[in-house]
Amino acid sequence: MPDSATLEAVNIDQDEGNFSYPEDYAHDAGYGLNEGTVDYISNIKGEAEWIREFRHKALKVFFAKPMPTHWASKDLENIIFNDIRYYLSKGQTPTRNWDEVPDDVKKTFERLGIPEKERKFLAGVEAQFDSEAAYSNVKEELTKEGVIFVNSTEGLREHPEIFRKWFGKVIPTGDNKFSALNSAVFSGGSFIYVPPGVKVKHPLQAYFRINAENFGQFERTLIIVDEGAEVTYMEGCTAPKFETATLHSAVVELVAMKDAKIQYITVQNWSNNVFNLVTKRGIAHENAEIRWIDCNIGSRLTMKYPGVIMKGRKARGEVISIALSNNGQHQDTGAKMIHAADETTSNIVAKSISVGTGQSTYRGQVHIPRHLKGCKNNTECDALLINSSSRTDTYPAITVRGNQHATQHEASVSQVSEDQIFYMKQRGLSEGEAMSLSVNGFVNDLVREFPMEYSVELKRLIDMEMEGSVG
Amino acid sequence: MSQSLKIENLHATVDGTEILKGLTLEVPKGEVHAIMGPNGSGKSTLSKVMAGHEAYTVTEGTVMLDDINLLELAIDERSRAGFFLAFQYPHEIPGVSNANFLRAARQARLPKGEEVDAVAFYKEMYLKMDELGMDRKFTGRSVNEGFSGGEKKRNEILQMMMLEPKYAVLDETDSGLDIDALKIVAQGVNSMRSPERGFLIITHYQRLLDYIVPDVVHVMFDGRIIKTGGKDLALELEEKGYDWVTKELVPA
Ligand SMILES: Nc1ncnc2c1ncn2[C@@H]1O[C@H](COP(=O)(O)OP(=O)(O)O)[C@@H](O)[C@H]1O
Ligand SMILES: [Mg+2]
């Protein structure tokens, strides 16, 4: 039981993630972004010179690149980069023992149920609080097998021979303005290596928590799964509701070597002041498989298009995405499938739900060049509109050259009809319960693909959103 | 305390057109009443007004469920107060299994913090499905999606049996049923007849009333009850046609 002073300091709301602890940071890069900010971060981390240079180069690219407002939301212009703090930490180094985690941080993660989940079904956990991980642990037998699961600072410092080769290679700094920003100020995130043939049975989980207002979280994740190895990685994210904008801009790179399998699951539940601008991409080598399962709930604006570059013969890429945009929110999500070898297969299933004035946008890119043979793509995107003020847009771009490929594309827009809700209410369900059930029904076939624990979590989040949306 | 479903001088409009024009009717607890009437007389409108459909505006009159003023309650509150409507055209709920839907409806009736006992729930549901001759596979199928007309109607009765209302209105539950299905559905309804429950059975044809024998038959025409009688009234109507009552009772 926390003492009464702590309890008072916590703003409790009915939403599970909506609480924060008072700020007392040992390290604070201050507001705004310049070369000094980058040096501040690099100094604290005691980084190698090549990383510092990498950051400085990235900062230049970031400043040089325009905002992508010619195709994306104008709301991006409301991000005031000078009002954001780019590094905040309590000076903690990640510990393997929850008892050593600073008190507020530990309480935060306890309230989010992380230690409990770890005991129940996880092979490893990393819990990041603002800029740095506070806890990081992986089951001993995995360490013995050579599995590495650390944060970005440690990964680059302790295992450069493994990580440097792919770092910034799947997603080059200049891929977009926000990947450049991340490359300049990244901190935290997960660096994972799974040696050949090792199949990690239980998921590895990372949890990203923003606690401070006017803050940007820029975690950097790189997962390398060696030949014939397999891993499932799961990330969860939350932040309390603040009045001002908060920025979350991650870069996630995946590398699946020959015959490897990576499943990357995201269940995000950002509060509606968060700009969530994330770049995620994987490279799948011969006969490898990369699967992104992406559930986007909350945030003010999310822009995220997980991608797979199928580089080796028979490689497979998949994106399964669920986006829920509530009042005032915009989920701009999709998928990118780049076929770069023969007989590669990609599958995209995207479902979006728009509630009230919520807006969902699907952007897809499927690229199959002329010189390849036997490639396949399947794209399905379905939108559900809850109210007449809800919006959805679809921009599928499928470029298939040559005639030796099979592609299939289906899209649908449907609305929860008033009569359907009437029917459900006649059986005693409240408006919120009827909406939740309809929405859960709409995504049901996708949710069935998830590991149990996450489908339960997602259902709970949808229930919370829908009940909240009808007041 | 009154023990009936009591409709008094009910007037209701849809899109500015008056459909119910002063309808009065009382179903005491323990009785089964039938409403018969030609198409377009306002039977489905009556059932939806009682359920609280927002497209309809009540301009006058009351509906009392025992001592509860039904018209003051929200749609879901009416349901939880014990009012059930078996729809003439049941809606589909894509992706939501029959079992989950029923369970949610049962859950909605429990006090906060209490959970449906899953084992007991399934046991009860299977038993009732057996009574209605419904295959177990219907538990996993989305509510009414791809169901035949008859399957939808049986499903309505299953829901009624699971929710055990105080008063149930069945809107043309017989339409679209073959004779075997009709018998099964009637059996389901009959098994629920009790001194603690009232039924209002809306039907266009007398056929259903061979199997669910009513205590009272009302004839509805142009938004009103124009004749009330015993179960023989249904037979008479069938024989002579609706023209008979309308000519006899409604001055031109
Ligand atoms: N939206 C509407 N606007 C005007 N009239 C309507 C509307 N909906 C139904 N009606 C009319 O109400 C009358 C009663 O319909 P209904 O209650 O379905 O009759 P029944 O169930 O007895 O066949 C019909 O004449 C129908 O055309
Ligand atoms: Mg009708």
Side-chain angles (χ1 to χ4, degrees), chain B residues 14-15 17 19 38-46 56 88 172:
Chain B
V14 60
D15 294 336
T17 309
I19 311 288
N39 281 329
S41 55
K43 303 184 298 296
S44 293
T45 302
L46 172 65
Y56 302 89
Q88 182 173 7
E172 299 213 20

Coordinates of all heavy atoms in Angstrom, one line a residue, chain B residues 14-15 17 19 38-46 56 88 172, ligand 1:
Chain B
V14 N -44.6 8.9 -36.5 CA -43.3 8.7 -37.1 C -43.2 9.6 -38.3 O -44.1 9.7 -39.1 CB -43.1 7.2 -37.5 CG1 -44.1 6.7 -38.5 CG2 -41.6 7.0 -38.1
D15 N -42.1 10.4 -38.3 CA -41.9 11.4 -39.4 C -43.1 12.3 -39.6 O -43.5 12.6 -40.7 CB -41.5 10.7 -40.7 CG -40.1 10.0 -40.6 OD1 -39.3 10.4 -39.8 OD2 -39.9 9.1 -41.4
T17 N -46.2 11.5 -39.2 CA -47.5 10.9 -39.5 C -48.0 10.1 -38.3 O -47.2 9.4 -37.7 CB -47.2 9.8 -40.7 OG1 -46.6 10.4 -41.7 CG2 -48.6 9.2 -41.1
I19 N -49.4 7.2 -36.4 CA -49.7 5.8 -36.7 C -50.6 5.1 -35.6 O -51.5 4.4 -35.9 CB -48.4 5.0 -36.9 CG1 -47.4 5.7 -37.8 CG2 -48.6 3.5 -37.3 CD1 -47.7 5.7 -39.2
P38 N -54.8 -6.3 -40.1 CA -54.2 -6.3 -41.4 C -52.9 -5.6 -41.5 O -52.5 -4.8 -40.6 CB -55.3 -5.5 -42.2 CG -56.1 -4.7 -41.3 CD -56.0 -5.5 -40.0
N39 N -52.1 -5.9 -42.5 CA -50.8 -5.2 -42.7 C -51.0 -3.7 -42.7 O -52.0 -3.2 -43.3 CB -50.2 -5.6 -44.0 CG -49.5 -7.0 -43.9 OD1 -49.1 -7.4 -42.8 ND2 -49.6 -7.8 -45.0
G40 N -50.1 -3.1 -42.0 CA -50.1 -1.6 -42.0 C -51.0 -1.0 -41.0 O -51.2 0.2 -40.9
S41 N -51.6 -1.8 -40.1 CA -52.5 -1.3 -39.1 C -51.7 -0.7 -37.9 O -52.3 0.0 -37.1 CB -53.5 -2.3 -38.6 OG -52.8 -3.5 -38.2
G42 N -50.4 -1.0 -37.9 CA -49.6 -0.3 -36.8 C -49.1 -1.3 -35.7 O -48.7 -0.9 -34.7
K43 N -49.2 -2.6 -36.0 CA -48.8 -3.6 -35.0 C -47.3 -3.5 -34.6 O -47.0 -3.4 -33.4 CB -49.2 -5.0 -35.5 CG -50.7 -5.2 -35.9 CD -51.0 -6.6 -36.3 CE -50.3 -7.1 -37.5 NZ -50.6 -6.4 -38.7
S44 N -46.5 -3.5 -35.7 CA -45.0 -3.4 -35.4 C -44.7 -2.0 -34.7 O -43.8 -1.9 -33.9 CB -44.2 -3.6 -36.6 OG -44.4 -4.9 -37.1
T45 N -45.4 -1.0 -35.2 CA -45.2 0.3 -34.6 C -45.5 0.3 -33.1 O -44.7 0.8 -32.3 CB -46.1 1.4 -35.3 OG1 -45.8 1.4 -36.7 CG2 -45.9 2.7 -34.7
L46 N -46.6 -0.4 -32.7 CA -46.9 -0.5 -31.3 C -45.8 -1.2 -30.5 O -45.3 -0.7 -29.5 CB -48.2 -1.3 -31.1 CG -48.6 -1.7 -29.7 CD1 -48.9 -0.4 -28.9 CD2 -49.7 -2.6 -29.7
Y56 N -39.9 6.9 -33.2 CA -41.3 7.2 -32.9 C -41.4 8.2 -31.8 O -40.7 8.2 -30.9 CB -42.0 5.9 -32.6 CG -41.9 4.8 -33.7 CD1 -40.8 3.9 -33.7 CD2 -42.8 4.8 -34.7 CE1 -40.7 3.0 -34.7 CE2 -42.7 3.8 -35.7 CZ -41.6 3.0 -35.7 OH -41.5 2.0 -36.7
Q88 N -40.1 -8.7 -35.4 CA -40.5 -9.2 -36.7 C -39.4 -9.5 -37.6 O -39.3 -10.5 -38.3 CB -41.6 -8.3 -37.3 CG -42.1 -8.8 -38.6 CD -43.3 -8.0 -39.2 OE1 -43.6 -6.9 -38.7 NE2 -43.9 -8.5 -40.3
E172 N -45.2 -11.0 -35.0 CA -45.2 -12.0 -36.1 C -44.1 -13.0 -36.1 O -43.4 -13.2 -37.1 CB -45.2 -11.2 -37.4 CG -46.3 -10.2 -37.6 CD -46.8 -10.0 -39.0 OE1 -46.6 -10.9 -39.8 OE2 -47.5 -9.0 -39.2
Ligands
LIG1 N1 -41.2 6.4 -41.5 C1 -42.5 6.3 -41.7 N2 -43.2 7.4 -42.2 C2 -44.5 7.3 -42.4 N3 -45.2 6.2 -42.3 C3 -44.6 5.1 -41.8 C4 -43.2 5.1 -41.5 N4 -42.9 3.8 -41.1 C5 -44.1 3.1 -41.1 N5 -45.1 3.8 -41.6 C6 -46.4 3.4 -41.8 O1 -47.0 3.0 -40.5 C7 -48.0 2.1 -40.8 C8 -47.9 0.9 -39.8 O2 -46.8 0.1 -40.1 P1 -46.5 -1.2 -39.2 O3 -46.5 -0.8 -37.8 O4 -45.3 -1.8 -39.7 O5 -47.8 -2.1 -39.5 P2 -48.0 -3.6 -39.3 O6 -46.9 -4.1 -38.4 O7 -49.4 -3.7 -38.6 O8 -48.0 -4.2 -40.6 C9 -47.9 1.6 -42.2 O9 -48.9 2.3 -43.0 C10 -46.6 2.2 -42.6 O10 -46.6 2.5 -44.0

